Amino acid sequence: MEKAIEEFQSYLANSAKNELFAEAKKISLQVCLHKIPNLMNEKLILCKLPNPLHTEDSYPETCLIVKDIDKKDRDYEKTIRKYEKIIKDNHLDSIVKKVMPLKQLNLEFRPFETKRTLSTSFDLFLADKNLHEILFNGSKLGKEFRKRKKMPFKVDVEGSKNLKEDVMNILNSTTIRLTGRGPILDINTFLSCHTVKQAIENINAVKAELVKHLPGGESNIKSIFIKSTNAPAVPIYDDLKTNLNDVKLPNNMTPAKIKKNKKMVVKRLKKNKQIKNKQNSKQNLVLRKKIA
């Protein structure tokens, strides 16, 4: 593995010579699974890295979504002032660039276009623990947030004993996403400027955390590659011994989940039918105009 990482970093360094602004590139682990986990809801797992992917000069611009002080009052400026003070008192104002009350999100970011714009305006989103469930599993943020992997992380804004430490733990971690939609996981793990030793430390940390949460455990890992943008994937692990029959996955499909899944399928079919009907009606309208 050491040799593979060394050669890969050497390849990236040679490629960067032709670039005008050479920056440290993120290198991800591509984990291929024997069997796709049976999951109804996406799982976000934070894995703290021994060697972070951010420095003090490159922390992501962050937006914090908070609960409203008064749900009946349409004016949300009081809420903004309250939480901005908390952010300033915890010396996080250089990281958290915007505080957004739920009321502002509901009033100003309802249309699809505004949600898409919001998802691209910040590198990272945090949400108060009281809102995390409805934001993560609900439809308030829309599919653009999921598509761009910008779903918010949970923080206890008012109840935390050390809010700055909690936020820094998130910034110094990488995200493992278990979706149940495919056999490949892509996990940002180390930087091209890291030493081989630092890269291996991060890889081991990610693998250990993944094994804890992955249905089927380590036996469900088929192979692991290291990959970066515009670079070939390099294998660092390949499981040739495990028999597929030996990989046991838990059945997470409870009666409630089966019912929910059926409703989602029906809803999707209805939506597809509506789209087809609209397309057909547009085609018929064009034909009528041509005939006329």
Side-chain angles (χ1 to χ4, degrees):
M1 183 163 69
E2 292 91 340
K3 186 67 177 174
I5 294 168
E6 193 176 335
E7 290 292 332
F8 189 75
Q9 288 183 321
S10 176
Y11 173 85
L12 291 179
N14 290 331
S15 302
K17 289 178 182 177
N18 301 323
E19 295 177 8
L20 188 60
F21 301 104
E23 294 181 349
K25 292 184 178 179
K26 285 183 180 178
I27 301 172
S28 62
L29 282 191
Q30 281 191 341
V31 183
C32 302
L33 307 178
H34 284 293
K35 291 183 178 180
I36 300 171
N38 188 1
L39 302 170
M40 275 296 294
N41 294 317
E42 182 178 326
K43 278 187 180 180
L44 270 186
I45 301 153
L46 276 179
C47 173
K48 193 168 182 181
L49 297 173
N51 308 287
L53 301 178
H54 303 289
T55 62
E56 289 185 8
D57 300 328
S58 65
Y59 281 134
E61 288 198 0
T62 304
C63 174
L64 173 64
I65 304 172
V66 296
K67 63 179 183 178
D68 301 300
I69 295 174
D70 185 356
K71 292 181 181 179
K72 295 180 181 179
D73 189 3
R74 286 180 66 86
D75 181 19
Y76 46 76
E77 290 300 323
K78 293 177 186 175
T79 304
I80 293 175
R81 286 194 294 271
K82 174 188 172 180
Y83 286 99
E84 278 184 346
K85 185 179 184 305
I86 293 173
I87 293 301
K88 194 172 182 180
D89 291 344
N90 284 274
H91 309 289
L92 285 167
D93 43 325
S94 62
I95 297 170
V96 178
K97 301 296 184 182
K98 184 173 181 61
V99 172
M100 183 177 292
L102 185 63
K103 192 175 266 68
Q104 183 181 5
L105 181 68
N106 289 336
L107 291 173
E108 297 180 12
F109 297 94
R110 273 189 183 175
F112 169 77
E113 288 296 329
T114 56
K115 286 179 181 177
R116 183 167 64 180
T117 303
L118 178 62
S119 71
T120 57
S121 300
F122 298 93
D123 303 312
L124 181 73
F125 289 85
L126 302 174
D128 187 81
K129 69 169 189 175
N130 299 301
L131 302 176
H132 184 260
E133 191 67 26
I134 61 170
L135 290 175
F136 194 82
N137 294 323
S139 58
K140 289 185 181 294
L141 293 176
K143 64 181 181 180
E144 280 299 310
F145 273 77
R146 291 193 184 278
K147 182 180 171 183
R148 298 176 190 275
K149 298 179 181 178
K150 294 285 186 74
M151 294 305 287
F153 294 99
K154 177 168 63 174
V155 287
D156 189 356
V157 181
E158 293 184 84
S160 175
K161 293 180 181 178
N162 192 332
L163 182 60
K164 185 173 184 179
E165 187 180 329
D166 292 346
V167 172
M168 294 309 294
N169 281 339
I170 293 171
L171 295 181
N172 294 332
S173 300
T174 192
T175 309
I176 301 171
R177 287 179 171 83
L178 294 178
T179 62
R181 291 194 290 270
I184 298 175
L185 308 177
D186 194 275
I187 310 160
N188 288 329
T189 305
F190 62 100
L191 299 172
S192 57
C193 61
H194 281 153
T195 64
V196 174
K197 184 184 176 184
Q198 288 174 323
I200 291 171
E201 286 173 353
N202 282 11
I203 288 170
N204 290 336
V206 168
K207 189 179 177 184
E209 193 65 30
L210 174 61
V211 168
K212 283 183 194 174
H213 300 274
L214 180 66
E218 191 171 0
S219 63
N220 198 17
I221 298 176
K222 182 180 180 181
S223 56
I224 301 176
F225 296 78
I226 49 175
K227 180 80 171 70
S228 186
T229 310
N230 300 325
V234 176
I236 59 171
Y237 171 81
D238 198 7
D239 178 19
L240 301 172
K241 298 177 182 178
T242 303
N243 189 318
L244 277 177
N245 295 327
D246 297 332
V247 181
K248 305 294 181 185
L249 300 187
N251 184 8
N252 296 314
M253 296 299 283
T254 61
K257 286 183 179 179
I258 292 170
K259 191 176 180 181
K260 184 180 177 182
N261 194 37
K262 284 181 179 177
K263 283 183 179 179
M264 287 172 67
V265 171
V266 171
K267 193 175 180 181
R268 198 183 304 119
L269 289 171
K270 281 184 179 178
K271 192 174 181 181
N272 290 339
K273 192 175 181 181
Q274 287 174 352
I275 292 168
K276 282 183 180 179
N277 288 338
K278 281 184 181 179
Q279 289 174 345
N280 290 335
S281 60
K282 283 182 181 178
Q283 288 174 355
N284 291 335
L285 188 64
V286 171
L287 286 171
R288 286 174 188 170
K289 284 183 179 180
K290 283 182 178 179
I291 293 168

